[in-house]
Amino acid sequence: MIIILKPEITKDSPEYQLLMKYLSQFEGVKTLVAEYEGITRKVTEIHLIGHTQKIPIEMIQSLPGVEKAVRVSAKYRQIGRHGDLEPIGFDYKGLHFDQNTFHVFMGLCAADTKENVEAIFKALKEAGVRTARMGAYKPRTSPYDFQGHGKECLPWLFELAGKYDIAVIAMEVLSPHHIDEIWEALEKAGHPTGVMLQIGTRNAQNFELLKAVGNQQEFPVLYKRGMGLTIEESLNACEYIASEGNHNIIFCLRGVRTHLGDPHRNLVDFGHVPVIKRLTKLPVCVDPSHPIGSRVAAPDGIKDIYHVAAQGVIAGANMVLVEFHPKPQEALCDGPQALYLEEIPCFLDYINRARQAYLDMKDIVARYNLQAMAPKP
Ligand code: PEP
Ligand code: MN
């Protein structure tokens, strides 16, 4: 069961003490308090864990200070919506993220040279974009492939980000100590930019890493669905982050592993955007680069990466993560799928049009008031 407190109730309120006293009579029930920013207000939830069947929900709902109580069946209790709980929103480096906002994170798969990093940041600034992607730690299939420059590149990478007014960089971490390295480099540089810690698909069930990114409040987390995991498994893994106290999470769809996706690298799963938005409170990102894996275009002249990015956005995605490179043929990682630097304005124009189409389509559906048309049960 989850009890949502009225907005004005704090841990010091008499209503809170009364509620806790009432709950303490139930044996085998543990309480866990979760606080976070909802889209419209700060939300305090009391999670009851254990033998909660005997607790009368009507009684809880009638107590002062309680806004509502819901019984939960999903195990991912903190990130879950459980019907109609308010989605989570968060602010980071002056930008807001929730299930209604929209951001595009373009950049290199892996930071390779200073020149290439600078070229991307400069192009983003010219396009008026303050969000980027840059890998410093790369999870490669072969140990002989480029592993990323690691902490060595962080000082110049962050300095360049600051120079071009980049507010947030999505950056993958492979190990808990990478979080400390990023923090130290930002601290030394005077925090010219911010970092969204990315959990890659290969680490989607690396529970110690998930606990480590959850056990800090400094950085938000971009959690990528495991390429071989069901939605249920990935949501339970993602819950590890929230269970440690960090609720500033974005859930990213990036395709799933099956030969049925051929000739694409992975099968695009962006039809799950509305599913994640319905099941969880989290904003949803789509990554069109990794499931497609190449720059090929359809006969209509539109690249497959553009096509599927639009599919995700039309389905209501709140963020797009996509790879670009000034010289894709020289890229040390994922060159075949990197879009050209010169394409940034085109991609933005295209994707913003898809976002507008989604908003227009939402209006159309609202105008027809479909809920009122549904037969009453
Ligand atoms: C990436 O975004 O650079 C990446 C490695 O993605 P994924 O974990 O989805 O393969
Ligand atoms: Mn990549």
Side-chain angles (χ1 to χ4, degrees), residues 171-206:
M171 179 176 281
E172 182 165 356
V173 286
L174 309 179
S175 161
H177 76 270
H178 294 160
I179 309 169
D180 301 332
E181 290 178 4
I182 289 172
W183 166 255
E184 280 156 27
L186 281 171
E187 186 78 353
K188 270 202 189 120
H191 296 274
T193 187
V195 170
M196 185 179 282
L197 301 175
Q198 186 175 315
I199 298 295
T201 194
R202 291 161 188 80
N203 279 310
Q205 275 187 325
N206 180 341

PDB file of all heavy atoms in Angstrom, residues 171-206:
ATOM      1  N   MET A 171      26.034  10.915 -19.984  1.00  0.00           N
ATOM      2  CA  MET A 171      27.331  10.215 -20.020  1.00  0.00           C
ATOM      3  C   MET A 171      27.215   8.875 -19.302  1.00  0.00           C
ATOM      4  O   MET A 171      26.807   8.823 -18.139  1.00  0.00           O
ATOM      5  CB  MET A 171      28.393  11.095 -19.352  1.00  0.00           C
ATOM      6  CG  MET A 171      29.755  10.470 -19.301  1.00  0.00           C
ATOM      7  SD  MET A 171      30.982  11.603 -18.598  1.00  0.00           S
ATOM      8  CE  MET A 171      31.316  12.671 -19.992  1.00  0.00           C
ATOM      9  N   GLU A 172      27.559   7.811 -20.000  1.00  0.00           N
ATOM     10  CA  GLU A 172      27.425   6.480 -19.403  1.00  0.00           C
ATOM     11  C   GLU A 172      28.481   6.228 -18.330  1.00  0.00           C
ATOM     12  O   GLU A 172      29.635   6.649 -18.468  1.00  0.00           O
ATOM     13  CB  GLU A 172      27.535   5.411 -20.499  1.00  0.00           C
ATOM     14  CG  GLU A 172      27.348   3.999 -19.953  1.00  0.00           C
ATOM     15  CD  GLU A 172      27.097   2.938 -21.008  1.00  0.00           C
ATOM     16  OE1 GLU A 172      26.984   3.264 -22.208  1.00  0.00           O
ATOM     17  OE2 GLU A 172      27.004   1.750 -20.625  1.00  0.00           O
ATOM     18  N   VAL A 173      28.073   5.537 -17.270  1.00  0.00           N
ATOM     19  CA  VAL A 173      29.032   5.062 -16.259  1.00  0.00           C
ATOM     20  C   VAL A 173      28.943   3.536 -16.214  1.00  0.00           C
ATOM     21  O   VAL A 173      27.865   2.959 -16.359  1.00  0.00           O
ATOM     22  CB  VAL A 173      28.770   5.658 -14.853  1.00  0.00           C
ATOM     23  CG1 VAL A 173      29.192   7.115 -14.798  1.00  0.00           C
ATOM     24  CG2 VAL A 173      27.301   5.517 -14.429  1.00  0.00           C
ATOM     25  N   LEU A 174      30.100   2.901 -16.055  1.00  0.00           N
ATOM     26  CA  LEU A 174      30.151   1.442 -16.051  1.00  0.00           C
ATOM     27  C   LEU A 174      30.429   0.884 -14.664  1.00  0.00           C
ATOM     28  O   LEU A 174      30.285  -0.315 -14.438  1.00  0.00           O
ATOM     29  CB  LEU A 174      31.265   0.948 -16.997  1.00  0.00           C
ATOM     30  CG  LEU A 174      31.253   1.508 -18.413  1.00  0.00           C
ATOM     31  CD1 LEU A 174      32.416   0.947 -19.209  1.00  0.00           C
ATOM     32  CD2 LEU A 174      29.944   1.166 -19.092  1.00  0.00           C
ATOM     33  N   SER A 175      30.859   1.758 -13.784  1.00  0.00           N
ATOM     34  CA  SER A 175      31.267   1.302 -12.459  1.00  0.00           C
ATOM     35  C   SER A 175      31.024   2.436 -11.463  1.00  0.00           C
ATOM     36  O   SER A 175      31.101   3.613 -11.832  1.00  0.00           O
ATOM     37  CB  SER A 175      32.758   0.962 -12.531  1.00  0.00           C
ATOM     38  OG  SER A 175      33.308   0.936 -11.243  1.00  0.00           O
ATOM     39  N   PRO A 176      30.731   2.093 -10.187  1.00  0.00           N
ATOM     40  CA  PRO A 176      30.469   3.158  -9.207  1.00  0.00           C
ATOM     41  C   PRO A 176      31.585   4.196  -9.121  1.00  0.00           C
ATOM     42  O   PRO A 176      31.313   5.379  -8.914  1.00  0.00           O
ATOM     43  CB  PRO A 176      30.309   2.387  -7.890  1.00  0.00           C
ATOM     44  CG  PRO A 176      29.797   1.047  -8.297  1.00  0.00           C
ATOM     45  CD  PRO A 176      30.486   0.745  -9.618  1.00  0.00           C
ATOM     46  N   HIS A 177      32.855   3.784  -9.323  1.00  0.00           N
ATOM     47  CA  HIS A 177      33.904   4.790  -9.159  1.00  0.00           C
ATOM     48  C   HIS A 177      33.903   5.840 -10.284  1.00  0.00           C
ATOM     49  O   HIS A 177      34.452   6.916 -10.137  1.00  0.00           O
ATOM     50  CB  HIS A 177      35.293   4.153  -8.950  1.00  0.00           C
ATOM     51  CG  HIS A 177      35.921   3.612 -10.188  1.00  0.00           C
ATOM     52  ND1 HIS A 177      35.736   2.321 -10.612  1.00  0.00           N
ATOM     53  CD2 HIS A 177      36.740   4.188 -11.087  1.00  0.00           C
ATOM     54  CE1 HIS A 177      36.417   2.131 -11.722  1.00  0.00           C
ATOM     55  NE2 HIS A 177      37.034   3.250 -12.036  1.00  0.00           N
ATOM     56  N   HIS A 178      33.230   5.538 -11.385  1.00  0.00           N
ATOM     57  CA  HIS A 178      33.108   6.554 -12.442  1.00  0.00           C
ATOM     58  C   HIS A 178      32.284   7.759 -11.971  1.00  0.00           C
ATOM     59  O   HIS A 178      32.486   8.884 -12.417  1.00  0.00           O
ATOM     60  CB  HIS A 178      32.467   5.950 -13.703  1.00  0.00           C
ATOM     61  CG  HIS A 178      33.329   4.910 -14.345  1.00  0.00           C
ATOM     62  ND1 HIS A 178      32.843   3.963 -15.208  1.00  0.00           N
ATOM     63  CD2 HIS A 178      34.651   4.667 -14.233  1.00  0.00           C
ATOM     64  CE1 HIS A 178      33.825   3.175 -15.610  1.00  0.00           C
ATOM     65  NE2 HIS A 178      34.939   3.579 -15.028  1.00  0.00           N
ATOM     66  N   ILE A 179      31.339   7.505 -11.070  1.00  0.00           N
ATOM     67  CA  ILE A 179      30.508   8.605 -10.545  1.00  0.00           C
ATOM     68  C   ILE A 179      31.410   9.582  -9.786  1.00  0.00           C
ATOM     69  O   ILE A 179      31.308  10.802  -9.946  1.00  0.00           O
ATOM     70  CB  ILE A 179      29.390   8.078  -9.605  1.00  0.00           C
ATOM     71  CG1 ILE A 179      28.608   6.945 -10.279  1.00  0.00           C
ATOM     72  CG2 ILE A 179      28.451   9.203  -9.181  1.00  0.00           C
ATOM     73  CD1 ILE A 179      27.672   6.192  -9.328  1.00  0.00           C
ATOM     74  N   ASP A 180      32.312   9.026  -8.987  1.00  0.00           N
ATOM     75  CA  ASP A 180      33.244   9.880  -8.224  1.00  0.00           C
ATOM     76  C   ASP A 180      34.185  10.637  -9.164  1.00  0.00           C
ATOM     77  O   ASP A 180      34.472  11.812  -8.953  1.00  0.00           O
ATOM     78  CB  ASP A 180      34.085   9.033  -7.259  1.00  0.00           C
ATOM     79  CG  ASP A 180      33.206   8.284  -6.273  1.00  0.00           C
ATOM     80  OD1 ASP A 180      32.107   8.786  -5.977  1.00  0.00           O
ATOM     81  OD2 ASP A 180      33.600   7.189  -5.837  1.00  0.00           O
ATOM     82  N   GLU A 181      34.647   9.946 -10.197  1.00  0.00           N
ATOM     83  CA  GLU A 181      35.559  10.612 -11.146  1.00  0.00           C
ATOM     84  C   GLU A 181      34.862  11.791 -11.832  1.00  0.00           C
ATOM     85  O   GLU A 181      35.450  12.856 -12.007  1.00  0.00           O
ATOM     86  CB  GLU A 181      36.050   9.607 -12.194  1.00  0.00           C
ATOM     87  CG  GLU A 181      37.005   8.580 -11.610  1.00  0.00           C
ATOM     88  CD  GLU A 181      37.474   7.527 -12.618  1.00  0.00           C
ATOM     89  OE1 GLU A 181      37.119   7.623 -13.822  1.00  0.00           O
ATOM     90  OE2 GLU A 181      38.183   6.606 -12.193  1.00  0.00           O
ATOM     91  N   ILE A 182      33.612  11.594 -12.187  1.00  0.00           N
ATOM     92  CA  ILE A 182      32.851  12.674 -12.842  1.00  0.00           C
ATOM     93  C   ILE A 182      32.650  13.827 -11.859  1.00  0.00           C
ATOM     94  O   ILE A 182      32.858  15.002 -12.202  1.00  0.00           O
ATOM     95  CB  ILE A 182      31.499  12.130 -13.376  1.00  0.00           C
ATOM     96  CG1 ILE A 182      31.754  11.211 -14.570  1.00  0.00           C
ATOM     97  CG2 ILE A 182      30.553  13.271 -13.752  1.00  0.00           C
ATOM     98  CD1 ILE A 182      30.543  10.449 -15.068  1.00  0.00           C
ATOM     99  N   TRP A 183      32.288  13.468 -10.631  1.00  0.00           N
ATOM    100  CA  TRP A 183      32.071  14.507  -9.622  1.00  0.00           C
ATOM    101  C   TRP A 183      33.364  15.310  -9.388  1.00  0.00           C
ATOM    102  O   TRP A 183      33.353  16.543  -9.382  1.00  0.00           O
ATOM    103  CB  TRP A 183      31.578  13.885  -8.308  1.00  0.00           C
ATOM    104  CG  TRP A 183      31.653  14.843  -7.165  1.00  0.00           C
ATOM    105  CD1 TRP A 183      32.571  14.842  -6.152  1.00  0.00           C
ATOM    106  CD2 TRP A 183      30.833  16.003  -6.961  1.00  0.00           C
ATOM    107  NE1 TRP A 183      32.368  15.908  -5.320  1.00  0.00           N
ATOM    108  CE2 TRP A 183      31.308  16.639  -5.789  1.00  0.00           C
ATOM    109  CE3 TRP A 183      29.755  16.556  -7.638  1.00  0.00           C
ATOM    110  CZ2 TRP A 183      30.738  17.805  -5.284  1.00  0.00           C
ATOM    111  CZ3 TRP A 183      29.183  17.723  -7.139  1.00  0.00           C
ATOM    112  CH2 TRP A 183      29.663  18.328  -5.980  1.00  0.00           C
ATOM    113  N   GLU A 184      34.473  14.607  -9.235  1.00  0.00           N
ATOM    114  CA  GLU A 184      35.748  15.307  -8.973  1.00  0.00           C
ATOM    115  C   GLU A 184      36.133  16.213 -10.143  1.00  0.00           C
ATOM    116  O   GLU A 184      36.582  17.344  -9.942  1.00  0.00           O
ATOM    117  CB  GLU A 184      36.868  14.298  -8.710  1.00  0.00           C
ATOM    118  CG  GLU A 184      36.825  13.774  -7.279  1.00  0.00           C
ATOM    119  CD  GLU A 184      37.498  12.417  -7.125  1.00  0.00           C
ATOM    120  OE1 GLU A 184      38.403  12.099  -7.927  1.00  0.00           O
ATOM    121  OE2 GLU A 184      37.098  11.675  -6.201  1.00  0.00           O
ATOM    122  N   ALA A 185      35.951  15.726 -11.351  1.00  0.00           N
ATOM    123  CA  ALA A 185      36.312  16.545 -12.523  1.00  0.00           C
ATOM    124  C   ALA A 185      35.408  17.774 -12.627  1.00  0.00           C
ATOM    125  O   ALA A 185      35.880  18.877 -12.957  1.00  0.00           O
ATOM    126  CB  ALA A 185      36.220  15.703 -13.794  1.00  0.00           C
ATOM    127  N   LEU A 186      34.133  17.613 -12.323  1.00  0.00           N
ATOM    128  CA  LEU A 186      33.227  18.768 -12.368  1.00  0.00           C
ATOM    129  C   LEU A 186      33.601  19.783 -11.295  1.00  0.00           C
ATOM    130  O   LEU A 186      33.613  20.991 -11.534  1.00  0.00           O
ATOM    131  CB  LEU A 186      31.774  18.308 -12.152  1.00  0.00           C
ATOM    132  CG  LEU A 186      31.058  17.681 -13.345  1.00  0.00           C
ATOM    133  CD1 LEU A 186      29.726  17.088 -12.922  1.00  0.00           C
ATOM    134  CD2 LEU A 186      30.851  18.712 -14.464  1.00  0.00           C
ATOM    135  N   GLU A 187      33.922  19.257 -10.120  1.00  0.00           N
ATOM    136  CA  GLU A 187      34.299  20.112  -8.985  1.00  0.00           C
ATOM    137  C   GLU A 187      35.562  20.918  -9.332  1.00  0.00           C
ATOM    138  O   GLU A 187      35.617  22.125  -9.138  1.00  0.00           O
ATOM    139  CB  GLU A 187      34.525  19.195  -7.777  1.00  0.00           C
ATOM    140  CG  GLU A 187      34.785  19.872  -6.480  1.00  0.00           C
ATOM    141  CD  GLU A 187      33.527  20.428  -5.808  1.00  0.00           C
ATOM    142  OE1 GLU A 187      32.441  20.407  -6.415  1.00  0.00           O
ATOM    143  OE2 GLU A 187      33.674  20.935  -4.689  1.00  0.00           O
ATOM    144  N   LYS A 188      36.546  20.231  -9.903  1.00  0.00           N
ATOM    145  CA  LYS A 188      37.812  20.899 -10.261  1.00  0.00           C
ATOM    146  C   LYS A 188      37.584  21.966 -11.327  1.00  0.00           C
ATOM    147  O   LYS A 188      38.232  23.004 -11.329  1.00  0.00           O
ATOM    148  CB  LYS A 188      38.817  19.868 -10.801  1.00  0.00           C
ATOM    149  CG  LYS A 188      39.676  19.281  -9.716  1.00  0.00           C
ATOM    150  CD  LYS A 188      40.981  18.713 -10.285  1.00  0.00           C
ATOM    151  CE  LYS A 188      41.712  17.952  -9.212  1.00  0.00           C
ATOM    152  NZ  LYS A 188      41.930  16.540  -9.525  1.00  0.00           N
ATOM    153  N   ALA A 189      36.669  21.670 -12.248  1.00  0.00           N
ATOM    154  CA  ALA A 189      36.415  22.605 -13.347  1.00  0.00           C
ATOM    155  C   ALA A 189      35.480  23.737 -12.917  1.00  0.00           C
ATOM    156  O   ALA A 189      35.226  24.655 -13.697  1.00  0.00           O
ATOM    157  CB  ALA A 189      35.812  21.843 -14.531  1.00  0.00           C
ATOM    158  N   GLY A 190      34.920  23.651 -11.698  1.00  0.00           N
ATOM    159  CA  GLY A 190      33.999  24.704 -11.234  1.00  0.00           C
ATOM    160  C   GLY A 190      32.583  24.507 -11.756  1.00  0.00           C
ATOM    161  O   GLY A 190      31.846  25.477 -11.925  1.00  0.00           O
ATOM    162  N   HIS A 191      32.196  23.274 -12.029  1.00  0.00           N
ATOM    163  CA  HIS A 191      30.831  22.928 -12.473  1.00  0.00           C
ATOM    164  C   HIS A 191      30.356  23.776 -13.661  1.00  0.00           C
ATOM    165  O   HIS A 191      29.313  24.429 -13.584  1.00  0.00           O
ATOM    166  CB  HIS A 191      29.842  23.035 -11.298  1.00  0.00           C
ATOM    167  CG  HIS A 191      30.144  22.053 -10.213  1.00  0.00           C
ATOM    168  ND1 HIS A 191      29.685  20.761 -10.210  1.00  0.00           N
ATOM    169  CD2 HIS A 191      30.931  22.164  -9.106  1.00  0.00           C
ATOM    170  CE1 HIS A 191      30.144  20.117  -9.160  1.00  0.00           C
ATOM    171  NE2 HIS A 191      30.916  20.951  -8.464  1.00  0.00           N
ATOM    172  N   PRO A 192      31.103  23.737 -14.768  1.00  0.00           N
ATOM    173  CA  PRO A 192      30.682  24.506 -15.938  1.00  0.00           C
ATOM    174  C   PRO A 192      29.475  23.877 -16.645  1.00  0.00           C
ATOM    175  O   PRO A 192      28.836  24.501 -17.488  1.00  0.00           O
ATOM    176  CB  PRO A 192      31.907  24.444 -16.858  1.00  0.00           C
ATOM    177  CG  PRO A 192      32.637  23.205 -16.444  1.00  0.00           C
ATOM    178  CD  PRO A 192      32.347  22.983 -15.006  1.00  0.00           C
ATOM    179  N   THR A 193      29.157  22.633 -16.308  1.00  0.00           N
ATOM    180  CA  THR A 193      28.072  21.913 -16.971  1.00  0.00           C
ATOM    181  C   THR A 193      27.530  20.877 -15.990  1.00  0.00           C
ATOM    182  O   THR A 193      28.014  20.765 -14.863  1.00  0.00           O
ATOM    183  CB  THR A 193      28.595  21.241 -18.276  1.00  0.00           C
ATOM    184  OG1 THR A 193      27.504  20.690 -18.999  1.00  0.00           O
ATOM    185  CG2 THR A 193      29.619  20.133 -17.992  1.00  0.00           C
ATOM    186  N   GLY A 194      26.509  20.123 -16.408  1.00  0.00           N
ATOM    187  CA  GLY A 194      25.962  19.065 -15.553  1.00  0.00           C
ATOM    188  C   GLY A 194      26.028  17.729 -16.281  1.00  0.00           C
ATOM    189  O   GLY A 194      26.211  17.689 -17.505  1.00  0.00           O
ATOM    190  N   VAL A 195      25.858  16.649 -15.541  1.00  0.00           N
ATOM    191  CA  VAL A 195      25.923  15.317 -16.145  1.00  0.00           C
ATOM    192  C   VAL A 195      24.685  14.516 -15.747  1.00  0.00           C
ATOM    193  O   VAL A 195      24.260  14.541 -14.588  1.00  0.00           O
ATOM    194  CB  VAL A 195      27.206  14.565 -15.703  1.00  0.00           C
ATOM    195  CG1 VAL A 195      27.165  13.094 -16.120  1.00  0.00           C
ATOM    196  CG2 VAL A 195      28.441  15.242 -16.303  1.00  0.00           C
ATOM    197  N   MET A 196      24.111  13.837 -16.729  1.00  0.00           N
ATOM    198  CA  MET A 196      23.051  12.867 -16.461  1.00  0.00           C
ATOM    199  C   MET A 196      23.719  11.503 -16.592  1.00  0.00           C
ATOM    200  O   MET A 196      24.231  11.174 -17.669  1.00  0.00           O
ATOM    201  CB  MET A 196      21.931  13.042 -17.496  1.00  0.00           C
ATOM    202  CG  MET A 196      20.736  12.161 -17.246  1.00  0.00           C
ATOM    203  SD  MET A 196      19.449  12.424 -18.487  1.00  0.00           S
ATOM    204  CE  MET A 196      18.708  13.948 -17.933  1.00  0.00           C
ATOM    205  N   LEU A 197      23.776  10.753 -15.506  1.00  0.00           N
ATOM    206  CA  LEU A 197      24.479   9.469 -15.526  1.00  0.00           C
ATOM    207  C   LEU A 197      23.657   8.458 -16.321  1.00  0.00           C
ATOM    208  O   LEU A 197      22.482   8.228 -16.023  1.00  0.00           O
ATOM    209  CB  LEU A 197      24.680   8.949 -14.096  1.00  0.00           C
ATOM    210  CG  LEU A 197      25.478   9.846 -13.148  1.00  0.00           C
ATOM    211  CD1 LEU A 197      25.476   9.244 -11.739  1.00  0.00           C
ATOM    212  CD2 LEU A 197      26.914  10.050 -13.650  1.00  0.00           C
ATOM    213  N   GLN A 198      24.297   7.865 -17.329  1.00  0.00           N
ATOM    214  CA  GLN A 198      23.587   6.913 -18.179  1.00  0.00           C
ATOM    215  C   GLN A 198      23.932   5.489 -17.758  1.00  0.00           C
ATOM    216  O   GLN A 198      25.103   5.159 -17.571  1.00  0.00           O
ATOM    217  CB  GLN A 198      24.025   7.171 -19.621  1.00  0.00           C
ATOM    218  CG  GLN A 198      23.279   6.380 -20.662  1.00  0.00           C
ATOM    219  CD  GLN A 198      23.701   6.813 -22.073  1.00  0.00           C
ATOM    220  OE1 GLN A 198      23.815   8.002 -22.360  1.00  0.00           O
ATOM    221  NE2 GLN A 198      23.957   5.856 -22.946  1.00  0.00           N
ATOM    222  N   ILE A 199      22.895   4.669 -17.589  1.00  0.00           N
ATOM    223  CA  ILE A 199      23.105   3.237 -17.355  1.00  0.00           C
ATOM    224  C   ILE A 199      22.825   2.563 -18.686  1.00  0.00           C
ATOM    225  O   ILE A 199      21.700   2.607 -19.195  1.00  0.00           O
ATOM    226  CB  ILE A 199      22.137   2.692 -16.276  1.00  0.00           C
ATOM    227  CG1 ILE A 199      22.367   3.393 -14.931  1.00  0.00           C
ATOM    228  CG2 ILE A 199      22.282   1.179 -16.141  1.00  0.00           C
ATOM    229  CD1 ILE A 199      23.714   3.143 -14.301  1.00  0.00           C
ATOM    230  N   GLY A 200      23.847   1.959 -19.274  1.00  0.00           N
ATOM    231  CA  GLY A 200      23.697   1.354 -20.592  1.00  0.00           C
ATOM    232  C   GLY A 200      22.928   0.051 -20.522  1.00  0.00           C
ATOM    233  O   GLY A 200      22.774  -0.555 -19.451  1.00  0.00           O
ATOM    234  N   THR A 201      22.479  -0.384 -21.692  1.00  0.00           N
ATOM    235  CA  THR A 201      21.641  -1.589 -21.759  1.00  0.00           C
ATOM    236  C   THR A 201      22.367  -2.807 -21.193  1.00  0.00           C
ATOM    237  O   THR A 201      21.755  -3.700 -20.624  1.00  0.00           O
ATOM    238  CB  THR A 201      21.203  -1.821 -23.221  1.00  0.00           C
ATOM    239  OG1 THR A 201      20.157  -2.765 -23.232  1.00  0.00           O
ATOM    240  CG2 THR A 201      22.337  -2.284 -24.123  1.00  0.00           C
ATOM    241  N   ARG A 202      23.689  -2.833 -21.364  1.00  0.00           N
ATOM    242  CA  ARG A 202      24.456  -3.994 -20.869  1.00  0.00           C
ATOM    243  C   ARG A 202      24.533  -4.034 -19.345  1.00  0.00           C
ATOM    244  O   ARG A 202      24.864  -5.053 -18.763  1.00  0.00           O
ATOM    245  CB  ARG A 202      25.868  -3.987 -21.477  1.00  0.00           C
ATOM    246  CG  ARG A 202      25.849  -4.276 -22.964  1.00  0.00           C
ATOM    247  CD  ARG A 202      27.108  -3.834 -23.662  1.00  0.00           C
ATOM    248  NE  ARG A 202      26.939  -3.957 -25.108  1.00  0.00           N
ATOM    249  CZ  ARG A 202      26.295  -3.053 -25.856  1.00  0.00           C
ATOM    250  NH1 ARG A 202      25.768  -1.964 -25.296  1.00  0.00           N
ATOM    251  NH2 ARG A 202      26.166  -3.233 -27.148  1.00  0.00           N
ATOM    252  N   ASN A 203      24.277  -2.918 -18.720  1.00  0.00           N
ATOM    253  CA  ASN A 203      24.306  -2.856 -17.249  1.00  0.00           C
ATOM    254  C   ASN A 203      22.914  -2.716 -16.645  1.00  0.00           C
ATOM    255  O   ASN A 203      22.785  -2.360 -15.470  1.00  0.00           O
ATOM    256  CB  ASN A 203      25.180  -1.685 -16.792  1.00  0.00           C
ATOM    257  CG  ASN A 203      26.649  -2.054 -16.836  1.00  0.00           C
ATOM    258  OD1 ASN A 203      27.037  -3.098 -16.312  1.00  0.00           O
ATOM    259  ND2 ASN A 203      27.460  -1.232 -17.473  1.00  0.00           N
ATOM    260  N   ALA A 204      21.907  -3.015 -17.452  1.00  0.00           N
ATOM    261  CA  ALA A 204      20.530  -2.783 -16.992  1.00  0.00           C
ATOM    262  C   ALA A 204      20.174  -3.596 -15.750  1.00  0.00           C
ATOM    263  O   ALA A 204      19.259  -3.252 -15.024  1.00  0.00           O
ATOM    264  CB  ALA A 204      19.545  -3.074 -18.116  1.00  0.00           C
ATOM    265  N   GLN A 205      20.879  -4.692 -15.526  1.00  0.00           N
ATOM    266  CA  GLN A 205      20.649  -5.477 -14.289  1.00  0.00           C
ATOM    267  C   GLN A 205      21.923  -5.579 -13.453  1.00  0.00           C
ATOM    268  O   GLN A 205      22.100  -6.544 -12.707  1.00  0.00           O
ATOM    269  CB  GLN A 205      20.145  -6.877 -14.621  1.00  0.00           C
ATOM    270  CG  GLN A 205      18.639  -6.929 -14.822  1.00  0.00           C
ATOM    271  CD  GLN A 205      18.131  -8.336 -14.992  1.00  0.00           C
ATOM    272  OE1 GLN A 205      18.805  -9.182 -15.582  1.00  0.00           O
ATOM    273  NE2 GLN A 205      16.929  -8.614 -14.518  1.00  0.00           N
ATOM    274  N   ASN A 206      22.779  -4.578 -13.571  1.00  0.00           N
ATOM    275  CA  ASN A 206      23.975  -4.532 -12.712  1.00  0.00           C
ATOM    276  C   ASN A 206      23.538  -3.836 -11.415  1.00  0.00           C
ATOM    277  O   ASN A 206      23.615  -2.622 -11.269  1.00  0.00           O
ATOM    278  CB  ASN A 206      25.076  -3.748 -13.436  1.00  0.00           C
ATOM    279  CG  ASN A 206      26.347  -3.647 -12.622  1.00  0.00           C
ATOM    280  OD1 ASN A 206      26.329  -3.841 -11.411  1.00  0.00           O
ATOM    281  ND2 ASN A 206      27.446  -3.326 -13.285  1.00  0.00           N
TER     282      ASN A 206
END
